[in-house]
Amino acid sequence: MATSPLQPPLTIHKFRTTIQFFPSFSSTHFPRSVFDAKVLAVRTKVACRPGTIKAFAAVRSAETGVVHRRENGSRTSQSFEKSGTLLDDLAEPLDAGSGFERDLQGLFDEVKRMIASGKENDAVDLLQANFQAVKVQMEDGAKGIEEVATLDIIALGYMALGDLKAVALILEKMNEVAGSLRDDENLLGSVVMHMGSMYSALGKFEKSVLMYQRAVGILEGIYGKDSTFLVTPLLGMAKALGCIGRATKATRTYQHAVAILESSRGVESEDLVVPLLALGNLLIKEGKANDAEYQFTRVVSIYTKLYGENDGRVGIALSSLAHVKCAKVFTGDVEEAIYAYRKALQIMKDSNYVALDDSVMERMRIDLAELLHVVGRGDEGRQLLEECLLITEEQKGKDHPSFVNHLVNLATSYSRSKNYAEAERLLRAALGIMTRTLGPDDQSISFPMLHLAVALYNLKRDEEAEQLAVDVIRIREKAFGEDSLPVGEALDCLVSIRARLGKQDGDLVALLKRVLRIQEEGFGYESEEVMVTLKKILFYLDKLGRKDEKFGLQKRLSVLKERYKHMIQY
């Protein structure tokens, strides 16, 4: 008699949507802009109409990577940075005495104050008033650089507020004007560069690349091909290229930006840090770990020479270097990766560069914990996860989403070490907090709930595990749709549970066929997940004696096995 392929301990890592370390299940985020939004001042050719310019502003994205001091002396890596005018970094020199520029600056300051003081509705009103004013001017036939520059700033304001629908509408208006303007128009380079940034934030990367290409062309014509004014649009273009899979061209574009900065600022300039990090991350994504390591090593060297080996910036750079070494774990660099992470954490702690509960420190601990688990040093990894839990409880309280994340992470660690009883305790604590704060049917609850079902399955409490899996499927079908990957994940777990409960093989085949359809749609017909599910279906078809259904599936499985047999499975 055939033996069941489902007897090994049940896991929920069959689907890529499963919780891994540090899941974020209770927060939603607007895509953030990739540029610093400041006032864009324009040199007017004609006098502005009285009353047509109203107060507006934009604040910088919280995702600037700039670290700021807290009152307790530590820093935070996610804070709003005080903005100046775009005179600091505009691609073209301006007449700071321009009346139009001064008006824009004053209006910018006003709305910036509104946003900072929490009066976002007032800021929206002012942005809308500006938009309507420009719209009237355009309807009257005014479609020049002044109009598109003002629209640009309004769009930046909406970006700061997270209103991406408004940004998309304004970009349509901007295209009406910018597309008809000559490339030698004053300040057009800055405008189309911002348009490239906004298109990236909207996920429209092809359009983003076109805008950045135009910006680079305009600025090259003014300042030459080696000007540092090209660096910002080159970096934006490289990022957009990477997002649409054009990695080779993205790499060349990053290298172009690096070469310009090296030529003008020197090979040890701090200005090289951003492009080197971006290039390194792209190379990791492309599986070029050795090339990526070189970029991160340069960043560590730059910061060390500028600030000393015990500066917090060196710690952050070391964590990036450790990350790339993780990609080389199976080529012998595991101890180097672990050492780099530990040194980075120690530097960050000793220098008080950021607070202990800062997201940068948290991410570093979790990354190191995951690495330690991968290489079989779960006890050390678990100590780091417990540290995360204690710090979060002390700094943010037990009802904070991060606290629940860490409970689930710790439970996952205990499950890996087969301490399912402790995993159950932690998961029930997490579910209790989430049920109290979010309600019993919130979709995010389904993730620790499925983890709990797995733990109970491994504790041989199959009836309880089955009920939880059924509840997960109900919640996820409502939240994500009946054919979504999260539903498929839960169905896969339910099959394993019901198989051990002795449920009808025919019913299990029906569930597995549903899982297969979901996987084919979500992962592709030739994915490894599909191959695993085909094995299960064939097993039960064999038990049922349904040989007529086996032939086509067996042939398909043989093809997939041939494809994967030479691949190393980690």
Side-chain angles (χ1 to χ4, degrees), residues 246-434:
R246 296 168 65 181
T248 301
K249 188 169 184 180
T251 299
R252 289 200 301 266
T253 305
Y254 279 128
Q255 290 170 339
H256 185 189
V258 169
I260 290 173
L261 288 171
E262 287 177 335
S263 175
S264 61
R265 307 283 171 83
V267 295
E268 296 180 354
S269 170
E270 188 173 1
D271 293 336
L272 287 164
V273 167
V274 171
L276 288 173
L277 289 175
L279 177 56
N281 287 327
L282 175 65
L283 292 169
I284 289 178
K285 183 179 177 182
E286 294 302 308
K288 298 178 180 179
N290 288 328
D291 293 338
E293 184 175 4
Y294 173 72
Q295 315 304 324
F296 292 120
T297 300
R298 284 194 65 185
V299 174
V300 173
S301 176
I302 288 170
Y303 274 145
T304 301
K305 289 181 179 180
L306 288 174
Y307 302 108
E309 62 181 10
N310 295 319
D311 186 82
R313 281 159 287 210
V314 175
I316 292 177
L318 272 174
S319 71
S320 296
L321 182 59
H323 181 67
V324 73
K325 287 182 180 294
C326 285
K328 301 168 63 179
V329 163
F330 296 98
T331 62
D333 282 358
V334 58
E335 290 300 331
E336 292 183 28
I338 292 171
Y339 172 79
Y341 268 127
R342 291 199 184 281
K343 185 176 180 181
L345 283 167
Q346 192 62 51
I347 290 173
M348 299 284 280
K349 183 177 180 180
D350 291 345
S351 66
N352 197 30
Y353 191 69
V354 296
L356 289 176
D357 64 328
D358 186 85
S359 62
V360 171
M361 290 282 283
E362 188 174 74
R363 182 73 261 172
M364 289 166 61
R365 292 190 204 96
I366 293 167
D367 285 345
L368 176 55
E370 175 68 3
L371 174 59
L372 290 166
H373 279 84
V374 167
V375 299
R377 293 160 63 174
D379 289 344
E380 295 176 62
R382 198 151 42 248
Q383 290 177 1
L384 287 163
L385 297 177
E386 289 171 346
E387 184 179 349
C388 287
L389 186 69
L390 291 173
I391 290 172
T392 301
E393 180 179 1
E394 179 181 342
Q395 300 293 329
K396 299 175 181 177
K398 290 185 176 182
D399 288 338
H400 194 275
S402 292
F403 184 78
V404 177
N405 289 342
H406 296 315
L407 284 172
V408 176
N409 289 343
L410 198 52
T412 302
S413 173
Y414 278 112
S415 290
R416 288 186 179 185
S417 65
K418 302 187 185 306
N419 188 344
Y420 301 112
E422 182 62 14
E424 178 194 359
R425 185 187 70 81
L426 293 165
L427 289 166
R428 290 195 184 280
L431 280 172
I433 295 170
M434 295 180 71

Side-chain angles (χ1 to χ4, degrees), residues 48-65:
C48 297
R49 297 181 183 178
T52 59
I53 302 300
K54 301 178 178 63
F56 64 91
V59 297
R60 292 187 180 222
S61 165
E63 193 121 332
T64 59

Side-chain angles (χ1 to χ4, degrees), residues 39 41-42 95-109:
V39 169
V42 297
D95 174 10
S98 163
F100 186 55
E101 188 262 325
R102 287 197 301 271
D103 287 342
L104 291 179
Q105 180 64 62
L107 303 173
F108 168 79
D109 290 340

